[in-house]
Amino acid sequence: MEKKILSARNVVQIGMFGAIAAVLMLFEFPIPFIAPAFYEIDLSEIPVLIGTFSMGPVAGVLIELIKILLKLLIKGTSTAYVGDMANFIMGCFFLLPAGIIYKMNRTKKGALIGMVTGTAVMAVCGAVMNAVVLLPFYSRLYGIPMEGLIAAGNAVNSHINNVLTFVIIAVVPFNLIKGFIVSLITDLVYKRVRVIIR
């Protein structure tokens, strides 16, 4: 599959999935009982994951990249591109393990193992990225002391009182829920669209 990644059919499908993902990225919703409202879920990884399963991990990365570029053209950035780059990296943390495992075992079990692995990798890497890069960056960008961000987490869960508890109690569950939702919907729709995109 990967050898034919730039076939005319695949290029069209990569562009199509990227466009659908970019539109879905515009619709975000918070999970207020898990994380502060500035953490919002979108469902843009669903078409990315479907494209990854259909055409392979390289195609998935290209779809993820197109998604981000189109979103920037449509909506611009409010995070000096750091949030958009983080979204791309987090998406790759999710889709690459899922896509690689499914490529080696193209069965329902392989897909499920891949999605569970991708979700776990995204949750762990997301925690590290938030602690080391994103929270400090947003603190400087918006002029909010780190204590203010921690306080926003504490308002959701009183056990959040520092960066470590913030990422463990808020960020990790947030990404696990996101991975679960994306995986569940992908599992439900992939067989139905696979006939069309193959």
Side-chain angles (χ1 to χ4, degrees):
M1 292 291 265
E2 298 290 344
K3 291 185 291 187
K4 300 179 181 178
I5 192 67
L6 293 181
S7 69
R9 181 181 179 86
N10 280 357
V11 168
V12 169
Q13 290 186 165
I14 288 168
M16 177 188 71
F17 283 123
I20 295 169
V23 171
L24 288 175
M25 195 177 176
L26 301 177
F27 301 95
E28 301 174 308
F29 56 93
I31 310 180
F33 56 89
I34 293 292
F38 52 84
Y39 282 87
E40 295 184 310
I41 284 182
D42 66 72
L43 301 179
S44 64
E45 301 307 333
I46 294 169
V48 177
L49 192 55
I50 290 172
T52 300
F53 283 169
S54 176
M55 294 174 283
V58 174
V61 173
L62 292 174
I63 295 167
E64 190 74 34
L65 179 61
I66 290 169
K67 176 192 84 170
I68 297 296
L69 294 176
L70 288 176
K71 179 267 174 184
L72 289 172
L73 286 173
I74 296 168
K75 193 177 180 181
T77 182
S78 59
T79 61
Y81 301 101
V82 172
D84 307 291
M85 179 62 68
N87 187 286
F88 172 77
I89 294 170
M90 293 299 296
C92 290
F93 282 145
F94 179 57
L95 73 88
L96 283 173
I100 291 168
I101 290 171
Y102 183 68
K103 185 181 177 185
M104 294 187 298
N105 182 11
R106 297 182 69 85
T107 63
K108 185 176 180 66
K109 181 179 179 181
L112 291 174
I113 293 172
M115 290 186 291
V116 168
T117 304
T119 298
V121 170
M122 179 174 66
V124 172
C125 294
V128 174
M129 182 174 290
N130 271 268
V132 176
V133 178
L134 296 180
L135 289 172
F137 172 79
Y138 289 131
S139 174
R140 290 192 299 271
L141 179 67
Y142 295 111
I144 303 171
M146 188 67 77
E147 292 76 15
L149 297 176
I150 302 303
N154 183 265
V156 175
N157 188 316
S158 61
H159 293 96
I160 295 174
N161 49 39
N162 55 37
V163 172
L164 180 61
T165 54
F166 189 105
V167 297
I168 291 174
I169 296 173
V171 176
V172 170
F174 177 87
N175 281 320
L176 289 174
I177 290 171
K178 178 178 180 177
F180 174 77
I181 292 171
V182 169
S183 298
L184 178 63
I185 297 174
T186 300
D187 183 57
L188 292 173
V189 304
Y190 180 60
K191 277 191 175 181
R192 292 169 175 78
V193 301
R194 184 175 58 183
V195 178
I196 302 170
I197 61 181
R198 283 274 172 93

